[in-house]
Amino acid sequence: MIIVYTGNGKGKTSATVGQALRAYGNAIPLCFVQFMKSNVQAGEQIALQKLLQDNFHIGGCGFFRNEADRAKHRQAVLAALAWLETKKEQAAMLLCDEILYAYHAKLITQEEIERLITYCNDAQKHLVLSGRYAPDWLIEQADIVSEIKEIKHACTKGVKAQKGIEF
């Protein structure tokens, strides 16, 4: 199955982590890669590192905000894809957190994502993709798409990100 978690609300990574926990609890071999997030020791990173060990990879260098950093971010995406390439055979589920943000920022191509989809479909593996801005072509191909919509968030009132909530 191809599963997509998208939208502007908080919880896409949480949904992806939840999917990983469900698979792990059912003894489904998996690998999990974060495409944009750097190693900031966020709660999910600490837990996934302990749980999945070598099958978890933090592949990003932070959110892409400056065009001068494009080459560095593109290289990080390519390295994350290379890591995934080494792990995909042993996994029945591949989880790609924030890959859609990388796509929206033009750090990964449609063809690169479609290769993952084709591989997973042909090998009968599950693929989970998360991030804002899911493109129509992906929504059409996916088996499950969940849009997480922001209705209210404390940050709009100036409340800073809270440990254990946002990271």
Side-chain angles (χ1 to χ4, degrees):
M1 298 196 79
I2 308 301
I3 302 168
V4 174
Y5 297 115
T6 193
N8 69 340
K10 177 194 159 350
K12 295 173 294 294
T13 294
S14 298
T16 305
V17 171
Q19 190 68 64
L21 285 173
R22 180 170 285 158
Y24 184 87
N26 283 288
I28 296 171
L30 61 102
C31 60
F32 192 117
V33 58
Q34 291 188 313
F35 272 85
M36 297 302 294
K37 293 176 182 162
S38 61
N39 189 353
V40 294
Q41 292 295 295
E44 80 273 4
Q45 292 174 329
I46 295 166
L48 288 168
Q49 193 73 61
K50 288 178 183 175
L51 192 66
L52 302 178
Q53 299 174 21
D54 290 344
N55 291 321
F56 174 63
H57 180 70
I58 303 166
C61 45
F63 286 99
F64 180 60
R65 293 187 173 104
N66 186 341
E67 194 60 38
D69 294 332
R70 177 170 292 282
K72 175 178 80 169
H73 283 272
R74 173 66 177 154
Q75 286 306 311
V77 166
L78 290 173
L81 285 171
W83 177 87
L84 195 55
E85 189 67 28
T86 68
K87 297 291 183 176
K88 70 181 187 182
E89 294 294 325
Q90 70 187 31
M93 180 180 286
L94 287 63
L95 299 104
C96 302
D97 187 37
E98 295 289 356
I99 193 170
L100 301 180
Y101 179 75
Y103 174 74
H104 181 73
K106 296 180 173 59
L107 298 170
I108 188 170
T109 67
Q110 179 176 341
E111 292 76 27
E112 288 165 328
I113 295 173
E114 285 182 334
R115 273 197 295 272
L116 277 175
I117 292 169
T118 299
Y119 168 77
C120 288
N121 281 335
D122 291 349
Q124 296 184 320
K125 295 177 183 264
H126 304 295
L127 178 62
V128 180
L129 308 168
S130 75
R132 292 178 183 228
Y133 317 115
D136 291 340
W137 62 264
L138 177 59
I139 291 170
E140 188 174 309
Q141 290 185 55
D143 299 295
I144 298 172
V145 178
S146 293
E147 181 178 12
I148 299 171
K149 178 181 172 186
E150 181 179 316
I151 295 172
K152 183 178 182 180
H153 197 294
C155 71
T156 60
K157 294 180 182 177
V159 176
K160 293 185 180 193
Q162 303 288 305
K163 189 174 188 174
I165 304 296
E166 281 88 16
F167 63 95

PDB file of all heavy atoms in Angstrom, residues 3-35:
ATOM      1  N   ILE A   3       0.797   4.970   1.320  1.00  0.00           N
ATOM      2  CA  ILE A   3       0.086   5.756   2.329  1.00  0.00           C
ATOM      3  C   ILE A   3       0.704   7.144   2.371  1.00  0.00           C
ATOM      4  O   ILE A   3       1.929   7.282   2.427  1.00  0.00           O
ATOM      5  CB  ILE A   3       0.182   5.086   3.706  1.00  0.00           C
ATOM      6  CG1 ILE A   3      -0.391   3.668   3.648  1.00  0.00           C
ATOM      7  CG2 ILE A   3      -0.507   5.926   4.779  1.00  0.00           C
ATOM      8  CD1 ILE A   3      -0.077   2.815   4.872  1.00  0.00           C
ATOM      9  N   VAL A   4      -0.136   8.171   2.361  1.00  0.00           N
ATOM     10  CA  VAL A   4       0.325   9.560   2.371  1.00  0.00           C
ATOM     11  C   VAL A   4      -0.316  10.295   3.545  1.00  0.00           C
ATOM     12  O   VAL A   4      -1.536  10.234   3.732  1.00  0.00           O
ATOM     13  CB  VAL A   4      -0.035  10.273   1.045  1.00  0.00           C
ATOM     14  CG1 VAL A   4       0.302  11.759   1.110  1.00  0.00           C
ATOM     15  CG2 VAL A   4       0.667   9.602  -0.136  1.00  0.00           C
ATOM     16  N   TYR A   5       0.521  10.974   4.322  1.00  0.00           N
ATOM     17  CA  TYR A   5       0.060  11.893   5.371  1.00  0.00           C
ATOM     18  C   TYR A   5       0.486  13.287   4.948  1.00  0.00           C
ATOM     19  O   TYR A   5       1.685  13.564   4.818  1.00  0.00           O
ATOM     20  CB  TYR A   5       0.677  11.550   6.730  1.00  0.00           C
ATOM     21  CG  TYR A   5       0.275  10.181   7.231  1.00  0.00           C
ATOM     22  CD1 TYR A   5       1.214   9.172   7.381  1.00  0.00           C
ATOM     23  CD2 TYR A   5      -1.047   9.891   7.552  1.00  0.00           C
ATOM     24  CE1 TYR A   5       0.859   7.919   7.841  1.00  0.00           C
ATOM     25  CE2 TYR A   5      -1.423   8.636   8.001  1.00  0.00           C
ATOM     26  CZ  TYR A   5      -0.463   7.655   8.150  1.00  0.00           C
ATOM     27  OH  TYR A   5      -0.829   6.412   8.593  1.00  0.00           O
ATOM     28  N   THR A   6      -0.474  14.168   4.715  1.00  0.00           N
ATOM     29  CA  THR A   6      -0.177  15.496   4.199  1.00  0.00           C
ATOM     30  C   THR A   6      -1.058  16.531   4.893  1.00  0.00           C
ATOM     31  O   THR A   6      -1.863  16.199   5.753  1.00  0.00           O
ATOM     32  CB  THR A   6      -0.355  15.530   2.659  1.00  0.00           C
ATOM     33  OG1 THR A   6       0.221  16.731   2.145  1.00  0.00           O
ATOM     34  CG2 THR A   6      -1.808  15.388   2.249  1.00  0.00           C
ATOM     35  N   GLY A   7      -0.905  17.778   4.519  1.00  0.00           N
ATOM     36  CA  GLY A   7      -1.721  18.857   5.058  1.00  0.00           C
ATOM     37  C   GLY A   7      -0.889  19.858   5.836  1.00  0.00           C
ATOM     38  O   GLY A   7       0.302  19.670   6.062  1.00  0.00           O
ATOM     39  N   ASN A   8      -1.559  20.944   6.264  1.00  0.00           N
ATOM     40  CA  ASN A   8      -0.839  22.021   6.948  1.00  0.00           C
ATOM     41  C   ASN A   8      -0.898  21.905   8.468  1.00  0.00           C
ATOM     42  O   ASN A   8      -0.375  22.746   9.176  1.00  0.00           O
ATOM     43  CB  ASN A   8      -1.372  23.385   6.508  1.00  0.00           C
ATOM     44  CG  ASN A   8      -2.786  23.648   7.012  1.00  0.00           C
ATOM     45  OD1 ASN A   8      -3.516  22.733   7.365  1.00  0.00           O
ATOM     46  ND2 ASN A   8      -3.168  24.905   7.033  1.00  0.00           N
ATOM     47  N   GLY A   9      -1.526  20.863   8.980  1.00  0.00           N
ATOM     48  CA  GLY A   9      -1.661  20.708  10.422  1.00  0.00           C
ATOM     49  C   GLY A   9      -0.510  19.941  11.054  1.00  0.00           C
ATOM     50  O   GLY A   9       0.255  19.250  10.380  1.00  0.00           O
ATOM     51  N   LYS A  10      -0.432  20.071  12.359  1.00  0.00           N
ATOM     52  CA  LYS A  10       0.567  19.356  13.140  1.00  0.00           C
ATOM     53  C   LYS A  10       0.162  17.889  13.246  1.00  0.00           C
ATOM     54  O   LYS A  10      -0.980  17.579  13.513  1.00  0.00           O
ATOM     55  CB  LYS A  10       0.638  19.975  14.541  1.00  0.00           C
ATOM     56  CG  LYS A  10       1.588  19.275  15.470  1.00  0.00           C
ATOM     57  CD  LYS A  10       1.336  19.729  16.888  1.00  0.00           C
ATOM     58  CE  LYS A  10       1.850  18.790  17.923  1.00  0.00           C
ATOM     59  NZ  LYS A  10       2.322  17.493  17.518  1.00  0.00           N
ATOM     60  N   GLY A  11       1.102  16.983  13.030  1.00  0.00           N
ATOM     61  CA  GLY A  11       0.816  15.579  13.242  1.00  0.00           C
ATOM     62  C   GLY A  11       1.209  14.633  12.123  1.00  0.00           C
ATOM     63  O   GLY A  11       0.989  13.428  12.225  1.00  0.00           O
ATOM     64  N   LYS A  12       1.803  15.136  11.052  1.00  0.00           N
ATOM     65  CA  LYS A  12       2.187  14.253   9.948  1.00  0.00           C
ATOM     66  C   LYS A  12       3.307  13.305  10.367  1.00  0.00           C
ATOM     67  O   LYS A  12       3.225  12.102  10.107  1.00  0.00           O
ATOM     68  CB  LYS A  12       2.589  15.084   8.730  1.00  0.00           C
ATOM     69  CG  LYS A  12       1.420  15.886   8.158  1.00  0.00           C
ATOM     70  CD  LYS A  12       1.834  16.833   7.078  1.00  0.00           C
ATOM     71  CE  LYS A  12       2.731  17.960   7.553  1.00  0.00           C
ATOM     72  NZ  LYS A  12       2.085  18.918   8.479  1.00  0.00           N
ATOM     73  N   THR A  13       4.314  13.833  11.021  1.00  0.00           N
ATOM     74  CA  THR A  13       5.383  12.967  11.519  1.00  0.00           C
ATOM     75  C   THR A  13       4.839  12.035  12.592  1.00  0.00           C
ATOM     76  O   THR A  13       5.172  10.846  12.612  1.00  0.00           O
ATOM     77  CB  THR A  13       6.559  13.802  12.060  1.00  0.00           C
ATOM     78  OG1 THR A  13       7.164  14.499  10.969  1.00  0.00           O
ATOM     79  CG2 THR A  13       7.604  12.925  12.742  1.00  0.00           C
ATOM     80  N   SER A  14       3.977  12.546  13.456  1.00  0.00           N
ATOM     81  CA  SER A  14       3.388  11.696  14.496  1.00  0.00           C
ATOM     82  C   SER A  14       2.602  10.543  13.881  1.00  0.00           C
ATOM     83  O   SER A  14       2.672   9.405  14.367  1.00  0.00           O
ATOM     84  CB  SER A  14       2.479  12.521  15.410  1.00  0.00           C
ATOM     85  OG  SER A  14       3.227  13.517  16.078  1.00  0.00           O
ATOM     86  N   ALA A  15       1.867  10.806  12.813  1.00  0.00           N
ATOM     87  CA  ALA A  15       1.127   9.747  12.129  1.00  0.00           C
ATOM     88  C   ALA A  15       2.082   8.731  11.509  1.00  0.00           C
ATOM     89  O   ALA A  15       1.840   7.518  11.561  1.00  0.00           O
ATOM     90  CB  ALA A  15       0.209  10.346  11.063  1.00  0.00           C
ATOM     91  N   THR A  16       3.170   9.221  10.939  1.00  0.00           N
ATOM     92  CA  THR A  16       4.157   8.336  10.321  1.00  0.00           C
ATOM     93  C   THR A  16       4.829   7.473  11.380  1.00  0.00           C
ATOM     94  O   THR A  16       5.019   6.264  11.186  1.00  0.00           O
ATOM     95  CB  THR A  16       5.188   9.168   9.526  1.00  0.00           C
ATOM     96  OG1 THR A  16       4.488  10.002   8.593  1.00  0.00           O
ATOM     97  CG2 THR A  16       6.150   8.277   8.767  1.00  0.00           C
ATOM     98  N   VAL A  17       5.177   8.076  12.498  1.00  0.00           N
ATOM     99  CA  VAL A  17       5.769   7.318  13.612  1.00  0.00           C
ATOM    100  C   VAL A  17       4.763   6.296  14.139  1.00  0.00           C
ATOM    101  O   VAL A  17       5.111   5.148  14.421  1.00  0.00           O
ATOM    102  CB  VAL A  17       6.254   8.262  14.734  1.00  0.00           C
ATOM    103  CG1 VAL A  17       6.662   7.476  15.985  1.00  0.00           C
ATOM    104  CG2 VAL A  17       7.418   9.114  14.242  1.00  0.00           C
ATOM    105  N   GLY A  18       3.500   6.695  14.251  1.00  0.00           N
ATOM    106  CA  GLY A  18       2.459   5.768  14.683  1.00  0.00           C
ATOM    107  C   GLY A  18       2.334   4.582  13.742  1.00  0.00           C
ATOM    108  O   GLY A  18       2.165   3.437  14.186  1.00  0.00           O
ATOM    109  N   GLN A  19       2.422   4.834  12.445  1.00  0.00           N
ATOM    110  CA  GLN A  19       2.378   3.746  11.465  1.00  0.00           C
ATOM    111  C   GLN A  19       3.569   2.816  11.655  1.00  0.00           C
ATOM    112  O   GLN A  19       3.434   1.592  11.577  1.00  0.00           O
ATOM    113  CB  GLN A  19       2.364   4.317  10.050  1.00  0.00           C
ATOM    114  CG  GLN A  19       2.077   3.297   8.970  1.00  0.00           C
ATOM    115  CD  GLN A  19       0.660   2.781   9.055  1.00  0.00           C
ATOM    116  OE1 GLN A  19      -0.284   3.524   8.875  1.00  0.00           O
ATOM    117  NE2 GLN A  19       0.501   1.509   9.337  1.00  0.00           N
ATOM    118  N   ALA A  20       4.741   3.392  11.926  1.00  0.00           N
ATOM    119  CA  ALA A  20       5.938   2.580  12.175  1.00  0.00           C
ATOM    120  C   ALA A  20       5.758   1.718  13.426  1.00  0.00           C
ATOM    121  O   ALA A  20       6.113   0.533  13.422  1.00  0.00           O
ATOM    122  CB  ALA A  20       7.166   3.486  12.320  1.00  0.00           C
ATOM    123  N   LEU A  21       5.208   2.293  14.477  1.00  0.00           N
ATOM    124  CA  LEU A  21       4.983   1.523  15.703  1.00  0.00           C
ATOM    125  C   LEU A  21       4.001   0.388  15.478  1.00  0.00           C
ATOM    126  O   LEU A  21       4.186  -0.724  15.991  1.00  0.00           O
ATOM    127  CB  LEU A  21       4.478   2.437  16.820  1.00  0.00           C
ATOM    128  CG  LEU A  21       5.511   3.347  17.455  1.00  0.00           C
ATOM    129  CD1 LEU A  21       4.836   4.311  18.428  1.00  0.00           C
ATOM    130  CD2 LEU A  21       6.591   2.550  18.153  1.00  0.00           C
ATOM    131  N   ARG A  22       2.958   0.657  14.735  1.00  0.00           N
ATOM    132  CA  ARG A  22       1.975  -0.397  14.430  1.00  0.00           C
ATOM    133  C   ARG A  22       2.645  -1.529  13.660  1.00  0.00           C
ATOM    134  O   ARG A  22       2.438  -2.714  13.959  1.00  0.00           O
ATOM    135  CB  ARG A  22       0.816   0.185  13.630  1.00  0.00           C
ATOM    136  CG  ARG A  22      -0.230  -0.862  13.284  1.00  0.00           C
ATOM    137  CD  ARG A  22      -1.472  -0.234  12.712  1.00  0.00           C
ATOM    138  NE  ARG A  22      -2.203   0.371  13.822  1.00  0.00           N
ATOM    139  CZ  ARG A  22      -3.085   1.344  13.693  1.00  0.00           C
ATOM    140  NH1 ARG A  22      -3.338   1.860  12.498  1.00  0.00           N
ATOM    141  NH2 ARG A  22      -3.715   1.825  14.726  1.00  0.00           N
ATOM    142  N   ALA A  23       3.442  -1.197  12.662  1.00  0.00           N
ATOM    143  CA  ALA A  23       4.143  -2.227  11.888  1.00  0.00           C
ATOM    144  C   ALA A  23       5.141  -2.983  12.766  1.00  0.00           C
ATOM    145  O   ALA A  23       5.188  -4.216  12.742  1.00  0.00           O
ATOM    146  CB  ALA A  23       4.855  -1.580  10.695  1.00  0.00           C
ATOM    147  N   TYR A  24       5.915  -2.255  13.532  1.00  0.00           N
ATOM    148  CA  TYR A  24       6.905  -2.860  14.419  1.00  0.00           C
ATOM    149  C   TYR A  24       6.237  -3.828  15.395  1.00  0.00           C
ATOM    150  O   TYR A  24       6.722  -4.939  15.621  1.00  0.00           O
ATOM    151  CB  TYR A  24       7.667  -1.764  15.173  1.00  0.00           C
ATOM    152  CG  TYR A  24       8.775  -2.289  16.045  1.00  0.00           C
ATOM    153  CD1 TYR A  24      10.048  -2.503  15.519  1.00  0.00           C
ATOM    154  CD2 TYR A  24       8.565  -2.565  17.389  1.00  0.00           C
ATOM    155  CE1 TYR A  24      11.072  -2.987  16.317  1.00  0.00           C
ATOM    156  CE2 TYR A  24       9.574  -3.044  18.196  1.00  0.00           C
ATOM    157  CZ  TYR A  24      10.829  -3.258  17.655  1.00  0.00           C
ATOM    158  OH  TYR A  24      11.840  -3.741  18.449  1.00  0.00           O
ATOM    159  N   GLY A  25       5.122  -3.418  15.952  1.00  0.00           N
ATOM    160  CA  GLY A  25       4.388  -4.262  16.893  1.00  0.00           C
ATOM    161  C   GLY A  25       3.838  -5.520  16.252  1.00  0.00           C
ATOM    162  O   GLY A  25       3.575  -6.515  16.947  1.00  0.00           O
ATOM    163  N   ASN A  26       3.688  -5.500  14.944  1.00  0.00           N
ATOM    164  CA  ASN A  26       3.225  -6.674  14.205  1.00  0.00           C
ATOM    165  C   ASN A  26       4.369  -7.413  13.513  1.00  0.00           C
ATOM    166  O   ASN A  26       4.136  -8.203  12.596  1.00  0.00           O
ATOM    167  CB  ASN A  26       2.159  -6.262  13.182  1.00  0.00           C
ATOM    168  CG  ASN A  26       0.821  -6.023  13.838  1.00  0.00           C
ATOM    169  OD1 ASN A  26       0.157  -6.962  14.254  1.00  0.00           O
ATOM    170  ND2 ASN A  26       0.438  -4.766  13.963  1.00  0.00           N
ATOM    171  N   ALA A  27       5.589  -7.139  13.958  1.00  0.00           N
ATOM    172  CA  ALA A  27       6.802  -7.807  13.456  1.00  0.00           C
ATOM    173  C   ALA A  27       7.000  -7.613  11.954  1.00  0.00           C
ATOM    174  O   ALA A  27       7.533  -8.487  11.270  1.00  0.00           O
ATOM    175  CB  ALA A  27       6.795  -9.291  13.828  1.00  0.00           C
ATOM    176  N   ILE A  28       6.581  -6.466  11.437  1.00  0.00           N
ATOM    177  CA  ILE A  28       6.802  -6.134  10.032  1.00  0.00           C
ATOM    178  C   ILE A  28       8.133  -5.396   9.939  1.00  0.00           C
ATOM    179  O   ILE A  28       8.297  -4.335  10.548  1.00  0.00           O
ATOM    180  CB  ILE A  28       5.651  -5.269   9.478  1.00  0.00           C
ATOM    181  CG1 ILE A  28       4.342  -6.074   9.504  1.00  0.00           C
ATOM    182  CG2 ILE A  28       5.969  -4.766   8.071  1.00  0.00           C
ATOM    183  CD1 ILE A  28       3.104  -5.267   9.179  1.00  0.00           C
ATOM    184  N   PRO A  29       9.095  -5.936   9.211  1.00  0.00           N
ATOM    185  CA  PRO A  29      10.387  -5.262   9.085  1.00  0.00           C
ATOM    186  C   PRO A  29      10.224  -3.913   8.382  1.00  0.00           C
ATOM    187  O   PRO A  29       9.530  -3.822   7.369  1.00  0.00           O
ATOM    188  CB  PRO A  29      11.225  -6.215   8.235  1.00  0.00           C
ATOM    189  CG  PRO A  29      10.454  -7.486   8.145  1.00  0.00           C
ATOM    190  CD  PRO A  29       9.031  -7.178   8.466  1.00  0.00           C
ATOM    191  N   LEU A  30      10.860  -2.884   8.921  1.00  0.00           N
ATOM    192  CA  LEU A  30      10.694  -1.561   8.340  1.00  0.00           C
ATOM    193  C   LEU A  30      11.980  -0.757   8.401  1.00  0.00           C
ATOM    194  O   LEU A  30      12.896  -1.070   9.150  1.00  0.00           O
ATOM    195  CB  LEU A  30       9.562  -0.808   9.043  1.00  0.00           C
ATOM    196  CG  LEU A  30       9.720  -0.552  10.538  1.00  0.00           C
ATOM    197  CD1 LEU A  30      10.146   0.876  10.799  1.00  0.00           C
ATOM    198  CD2 LEU A  30       8.404  -0.843  11.237  1.00  0.00           C
ATOM    199  N   CYS A  31      12.015   0.264   7.580  1.00  0.00           N
ATOM    200  CA  CYS A  31      13.075   1.268   7.666  1.00  0.00           C
ATOM    201  C   CYS A  31      12.410   2.635   7.578  1.00  0.00           C
ATOM    202  O   CYS A  31      11.399   2.808   6.906  1.00  0.00           O
ATOM    203  CB  CYS A  31      14.142   1.077   6.603  1.00  0.00           C
ATOM    204  SG  CYS A  31      13.575   1.180   4.919  1.00  0.00           S
ATOM    205  N   PHE A  32      12.968   3.571   8.303  1.00  0.00           N
ATOM    206  CA  PHE A  32      12.357   4.894   8.484  1.00  0.00           C
ATOM    207  C   PHE A  32      13.434   5.934   8.242  1.00  0.00           C
ATOM    208  O   PHE A  32      14.485   5.924   8.873  1.00  0.00           O
ATOM    209  CB  PHE A  32      11.841   4.984   9.929  1.00  0.00           C
ATOM    210  CG  PHE A  32      10.940   6.154  10.224  1.00  0.00           C
ATOM    211  CD1 PHE A  32       9.632   5.949  10.610  1.00  0.00           C
ATOM    212  CD2 PHE A  32      11.410   7.460  10.158  1.00  0.00           C
ATOM    213  CE1 PHE A  32       8.798   7.013  10.925  1.00  0.00           C
ATOM    214  CE2 PHE A  32      10.590   8.532  10.455  1.00  0.00           C
ATOM    215  CZ  PHE A  32       9.277   8.306  10.839  1.00  0.00           C
ATOM    216  N   VAL A  33      13.170   6.850   7.320  1.00  0.00           N
ATOM    217  CA  VAL A  33      14.123   7.918   7.025  1.00  0.00           C
ATOM    218  C   VAL A  33      13.420   9.272   7.117  1.00  0.00           C
ATOM    219  O   VAL A  33      12.300   9.430   6.653  1.00  0.00           O
ATOM    220  CB  VAL A  33      14.793   7.722   5.641  1.00  0.00           C
ATOM    221  CG1 VAL A  33      13.786   7.669   4.520  1.00  0.00           C
ATOM    222  CG2 VAL A  33      15.839   8.804   5.367  1.00  0.00           C
ATOM    223  N   GLN A  34      14.088  10.216   7.755  1.00  0.00           N
ATOM    224  CA  GLN A  34      13.606  11.598   7.818  1.00  0.00           C
ATOM    225  C   GLN A  34      14.382  12.398   6.779  1.00  0.00           C
ATOM    226  O   GLN A  34      15.598  12.525   6.872  1.00  0.00           O
ATOM    227  CB  GLN A  34      13.792  12.175   9.221  1.00  0.00           C
ATOM    228  CG  GLN A  34      12.870  11.540  10.236  1.00  0.00           C
ATOM    229  CD  GLN A  34      12.911  12.232  11.585  1.00  0.00           C
ATOM    230  OE1 GLN A  34      13.975  12.517  12.118  1.00  0.00           O
ATOM    231  NE2 GLN A  34      11.744  12.488  12.137  1.00  0.00           N
ATOM    232  N   PHE A  35      13.663  12.945   5.806  1.00  0.00           N
ATOM    233  CA  PHE A  35      14.305  13.619   4.686  1.00  0.00           C
ATOM    234  C   PHE A  35      14.727  15.050   4.972  1.00  0.00           C
ATOM    235  O   PHE A  35      15.703  15.516   4.403  1.00  0.00           O
ATOM    236  CB  PHE A  35      13.398  13.586   3.452  1.00  0.00           C
ATOM    237  CG  PHE A  35      13.597  12.355   2.632  1.00  0.00           C
ATOM    238  CD1 PHE A  35      12.926  11.192   2.953  1.00  0.00           C
ATOM    239  CD2 PHE A  35      14.477  12.346   1.567  1.00  0.00           C
ATOM    240  CE1 PHE A  35      13.123  10.038   2.210  1.00  0.00           C
ATOM    241  CE2 PHE A  35      14.684  11.198   0.818  1.00  0.00           C
ATOM    242  CZ  PHE A  35      13.995  10.042   1.148  1.00  0.00           C
TER     243      PHE A  35
END
